[in-house]
Amino acid sequence: MILTVMELWASMDQYATNCYPLLREFSPVFPCDILNCLQLPCFEDMCRLQTIQDHLRKRHTVCAGTYLTIFSDPRKGCFGERFFNESADSEKFHEIQQQIEGAASLARAAKEEEWRELSANHEELSKEAAESTCLYVDDIVGHRIHNDRHCRKCYLERKANRIKIYAHEHPLPQDEYQLRTVIFELGCPKTFAVYRQVTWQILATLGLENQHGMTAPRVLLRDYSPFQGYNESDFKRLSLASTTKPFVLTHYASIRFPVDFSEVCMPNGLKFAYYDEDTDLWPGRQRDRPAFRHHCRLNFSNESVTSLFSYLSSPAGPEYFPAEEYPDMSLTIDRTAVTMDRPQRGQDRRLRAIHGFFQEDFFCERLLQLLEQRTNVIASNWRETNCMSMLISLGLRICSLVYSCNRKMYEKARTMLDRLRKITFEWTRELRTELQKASNAESYQRCSMYLLSTTLICKQTFSIFCESQLQLTSADLLCFVECSAVLQINLTDDPRSLPQTLRFALIRDIKMTHCMKGLIRSSVKDNPQALIRAIESIWPQPEGSGPRAYSSFQLSDRPDDWWIEIFIDTSSQSSKQTLHFHILEGHLLVNGQPPGKLPPKYMQSINVRRLFGD
């Protein structure tokens, strides 16, 4: 996923730099080595990775290593400030500034007129109050007291004190760099806004492990009332925001008289920086270096880590490992093999130093010999699923890396994979027999897990067809179809309950099958008898019955329909039957029902479980 996302971003970045050449002078945000953590099994993916990294290196070279990005907060040399001055839209930005300044001047003039009127009113009231005298009266006991309620002088003073004027705040910042960045955001081109938003979403979602939210903004640029009529990109979620409030929203907004007009007019009190509403983050204040490595870690459960440390700290120590439980799986290559700790002359840069060995015939020959030796050791033991998975992975890696440069070595590796496929296919059939012989629930569960693992390992060998132009033979199709059906029959209702290794293998199998879907469809059309033999193996005929008479096959040509319909003619022992088989997922239905399996509502019944167990 990360590789695909970055591949799309690189294409978008090329388009954006062509539209806005100024982008080339700013850092592309992503470091050149950000993708080094990816573990790519296919040579095709390595080529894609090299293309992305070449693009990143070129961008970093052109920008001369500057630390400024399009997310840097407003300052001298920031993107918004430079785009305001240097772009072809500079005239438009100056026009927006003039409009805002003009509106501010009109508002200031209106405020000054209001101040004059209120000042005159205050001065008149103050003068009249000064010319008046306070009213005193005698109370019932003869004491002289101030009659505040009917005192005109006090009334005039209170009325004068109640006169207030709201401050006028200039809409644009005093700082010239903040001002130009604000104007740029108001007239920001929509294509650039989309590019910036997508880049930040990738960075925030995938590239930042520790995100620092900091302070919530007090006001967003799009919500600031003086700019309501000038913001051309209302859809932007990443724009400027301020951590300080404008003066008109503070207790300084209301001013009493007498006051000088210079105290009524205030400078802009906002301090703008870039803020993203979706993530509640300030992009320009993230100090962590972007990285994807936290997505590529190996996660161990607390129980496994505790068990490992307990064993290593035990008196016996690690030197007394039970050899029968941990067979030797090491592959030792002679010291005369080629050693590469840095790219050598003539080496394909896409392979990198770690895979440069695969360009040497001696290394590949020796590795295939060791794989052959290990295969001979485990061929008869279907419990060696982990070792077999390792052998298949190495064989696939050889095929992938030498396919385009060494056809001879590729054919040898493919021959070895064919042998591994036959061995694991035999394991699958042996385990199906063992499963039928299971005498208790524990044995059945153990055999079922081995069968599930073996089936997925056998199908793993078909990954070679995803990268090459090979066609499935009749034997290959038989193996694929039968393994797919066995996988569906033995797969639990909730795949999330499977062990982690099996879950990952199942996901890998789904991706591989999707990649092969076109090849599978054409192979089924060319070899229908292989499909019939696989169905006969999965759904065998009752003893003593004659062979089934398959009358017709129907496979829809619609690209989203993968069910094949097969009709079985009436015989002396059975009526006409209709089979449906999903050629990708392996579902088999006989007259609309899975063969040899109770419907889910009966399998989950408490009474059935009490009688027959889980």
Side-chain angles (χ1 to χ4, degrees):
M1 180 191 73
I2 293 177
L3 183 66
T4 302
V5 168
M6 288 302 296
E7 190 174 38
L8 294 173
W9 175 85
S11 298
M12 181 184 66
D13 186 64
Q14 289 178 349
Y15 175 80
T17 52
N18 289 334
C19 289
Y20 309 106
L22 183 62
L23 272 174
R24 299 190 179 100
E25 300 182 31
F26 288 80
S27 173
V29 180
F30 301 105
C32 294
D33 59 351
I34 193 171
L35 295 171
N36 285 352
C37 60
L38 299 186
Q39 302 176 16
L40 305 176
C42 302
F43 179 69
E44 179 184 357
D45 293 335
M46 294 180 185
C47 296
R48 295 164 61 197
L49 171 61
Q50 187 65 45
T51 301
I52 299 170
Q53 290 192 323
D54 287 344
H55 174 73
L56 287 174
R57 288 192 187 93
K58 181 180 178 181
R59 289 278 276 110
H60 280 280
T61 300
V62 173
C63 74
T66 180
Y67 66 91
L68 290 176
T69 70
I70 57 176
F71 305 112
S72 298
D73 289 335
R75 70 188 74 173
K76 182 179 180 180
C78 70
F79 185 83
E81 189 262 341
R82 291 192 57 187
F83 199 89
F84 177 93
N85 290 325
E86 303 174 18
S87 72
D89 295 331
S90 180
E91 184 177 346
K92 181 186 76 171
F93 294 135
H94 282 90
E95 183 179 346
I96 294 175
Q97 181 181 357
Q98 290 172 4
Q99 291 176 0
I100 296 175
E101 295 281 6
S105 298
L106 293 176
R108 178 186 172 92
K111 182 62 66 174
E112 185 175 6
E113 182 65 26
E114 179 187 2
W115 170 80
R116 286 197 181 98
E117 293 177 0
L118 293 177
S119 293
N121 190 14
H122 181 272
E123 185 178 352
E124 182 180 349
L125 290 173
S126 299
K127 182 179 179 180
E128 186 177 352
E131 295 174 352
S132 303
T133 58
C134 289
L135 177 63
Y136 290 89
V137 296
D138 294 331
D139 61 6
I140 57 176
V141 296
H143 292 158
R144 192 170 180 80
I145 62 173
H146 180 253
N147 189 345
D148 183 69
R149 183 175 183 182
H150 296 92
C151 180
R152 179 166 178 77
K153 178 180 178 66
C154 293
Y155 166 73
L156 292 173
E157 289 177 348
R158 288 195 300 268
K159 188 174 181 180
N161 287 335
R162 282 196 295 267
I163 296 177
K164 297 178 182 179
I165 186 171
Y166 283 96
H168 166 74
E169 183 177 12
H170 196 279
L172 294 174
Q174 285 185 306
D175 182 82
E176 60 176 321
Y177 307 119
Q178 289 241 343
L179 182 149
R180 292 168 185 167
T181 306
V182 167
I183 299 298
F184 163 74
E185 284 299 319
L186 294 177
C188 180
K190 292 185 178 180
T191 51
F192 175 80
V194 171
Y195 163 79
R196 183 177 61 185
Q197 185 71 44
V198 171
T199 302
W200 169 248
Q201 286 179 344
I202 297 172
L203 183 63
T205 306
L206 300 176
L208 297 179
E209 182 179 12
N210 302 313
Q211 300 179 350
H212 307 289
M214 300 183 183
T215 310
R218 294 299 185 93
V219 62
L220 302 176
L221 182 70
R222 62 181 174 86
D223 295 335
Y224 189 44
S225 56
F227 297 151
Q228 292 293 324
Y230 304 99
N231 199 341
E232 297 183 0
S233 301
D234 295 333
F235 68 91
K236 289 185 296 184
R237 306 293 293 175
L238 189 154
S239 187
L240 292 176
S242 174
T243 54
T244 59
K245 293 190 293 185
F247 282 115
V248 294
L249 297 181
T250 66
H251 62 282
Y252 299 108
S254 179
I255 306 172
R256 295 180 184 275
F257 282 84
V259 62
D260 189 74
F261 184 66
S262 61
E263 299 179 25
V264 176
C265 296
M266 297 181 176
N268 188 274
L270 302 180
K271 302 297 181 184
F272 286 107
Y274 281 107
Y275 174 76
D276 179 53
E277 298 178 55
D278 294 331
T279 58
D280 292 329
L281 295 176
W282 301 84
R285 302 178 184 180
Q286 303 300 315
R287 296 293 175 259
D288 294 339
R289 190 170 186 265
F292 295 145
R293 57 179 176 272
H294 53 282
H295 298 289
C296 306
R297 292 172 181 163
L298 292 176
N299 297 319
F300 297 96
S301 64
N302 294 332
E303 293 79 5
S304 61
V305 174
T306 303
S307 300
L308 176 61
F309 277 102
S310 298
Y311 178 78
L312 294 177
S313 60
S314 64
E319 56 183 287
Y320 295 100
F321 266 93
E324 64 277 5
E325 295 185 17
Y326 299 93
D328 181 20
M329 294 174 59
S330 61
L331 299 175
T332 304
I333 299 179
D334 296 341
R335 295 183 62 185
T336 55
V338 177
T339 301
M340 293 185 180
D341 52 13
R342 62 175 56 88
Q344 298 185 358
R345 182 175 300 178
Q347 179 182 327
D348 192 340
R349 289 192 309 120
R350 296 169 295 182
L351 290 177
R352 314 298 174 93
I354 196 63
H355 292 110
F357 297 102
F358 289 90
Q359 285 190 309
E360 301 295 329
D361 290 347
F362 175 81
F363 175 84
C364 294
E365 287 278 6
R366 181 60 180 147
L367 181 57
L368 287 172
Q369 290 176 10
L370 294 172
L371 297 182
E372 191 73 26
Q373 293 172 12
R374 178 57 56 184
T375 301
N376 295 334
V377 173
I378 69 171
S380 59
N381 186 359
W382 45 258
R383 291 180 177 83
E384 293 285 0
T385 52
N386 292 332
C387 184
M388 178 59 76
S389 180
M390 181 197 70
L391 297 178
I392 292 174
S393 296
L394 289 174
L396 290 172
R397 180 59 62 89
I398 296 173
C399 287
S400 177
L401 297 181
V402 305
Y403 177 72
S404 60
C405 61
N406 194 334
R407 298 294 299 181
K408 177 182 177 182
M409 204 59 60
Y410 171 80
E411 292 298 331
K412 290 184 178 181
R414 190 171 69 85
T415 301
M416 190 203 70
L417 281 175
D418 289 342
R419 186 190 175 201
L420 295 177
R421 183 183 305 122
K422 292 177 183 178
I423 293 173
T424 51
F425 189 42
E426 289 299 323
W427 286 4
T428 301
R429 290 185 167 179
E430 290 177 20
L431 280 166
R432 288 173 60 194
T433 304
E434 292 291 331
L435 196 65
Q436 295 174 357
K437 296 178 181 178
S439 57
N440 53 61
E442 183 180 356
S443 299
Y444 184 90
Q445 183 68 19
R446 185 172 60 253
C447 286
S448 179
M449 286 294 102
Y450 270 114
L451 179 58
L452 190 62
S453 178
T454 302
T455 304
L456 289 169
I457 292 172
C458 182
K459 292 189 68 180
Q460 185 184 357
T461 61
F462 288 93
S463 297
I464 191 176
F465 293 95
C466 294
E467 295 187 60
S468 64
Q469 302 298 324
L470 299 174
Q471 297 296 318
L472 290 174
T473 64
S474 179
D476 293 335
L477 183 60
L478 169 65
C479 176
F480 183 89
V481 171
E482 186 170 331
C483 286
S484 299
V486 172
L487 176 64
Q488 286 299 333
I489 293 171
N490 290 273
L491 191 61
T492 178
D493 293 335
D494 185 11
R496 292 174 296 182
S497 63
L498 294 173
Q500 186 183 55
T501 53
L502 286 181
R503 289 203 310 271
F504 288 167
L506 184 61
I507 294 172
R508 179 189 62 207
D509 178 74
I510 293 173
K511 291 180 179 179
M512 180 201 70
T513 303
H514 177 77
C515 179
M516 294 177 55
K517 60 184 181 181
L519 175 62
I520 296 171
R521 179 187 289 274
S522 61
S523 299
V524 169
K525 289 181 178 180
D526 295 339
N527 298 295
Q529 292 305 317
L531 177 64
I532 295 300
R533 292 202 304 272
I535 293 176
E536 291 284 353
S537 175
I538 301 162
W539 183 48
Q541 302 180 55
E543 294 184 5
S545 61
R548 297 189 181 107
Y550 297 92
S551 59
S552 62
F553 303 83
Q554 293 183 5
L555 178 60
S556 174
D557 291 329
R558 292 189 307 168
D560 58 340
D561 189 356
W562 301 96
W563 287 94
I564 186 170
E565 191 175 43
I566 307 173
F567 298 98
I568 302 177
D569 293 337
T570 305
S571 66
S572 59
Q573 298 179 342
S574 63
S575 60
K576 186 174 182 179
Q577 294 174 313
T578 303
L579 305 184
H580 290 88
F581 186 80
H582 198 286
I583 61 176
L584 295 185
E585 299 177 4
H587 297 284
L588 175 63
L589 302 177
V590 180
N591 293 332
Q593 297 293 329
K597 199 171 185 179
L598 291 172
K601 66 177 182 178
Y602 296 115
M603 293 182 67
Q604 297 171 5
S605 170
I606 297 177
N607 295 328
V608 172
R609 290 187 175 187
R610 185 180 301 158
L611 289 172
F612 301 103
D614 294 332

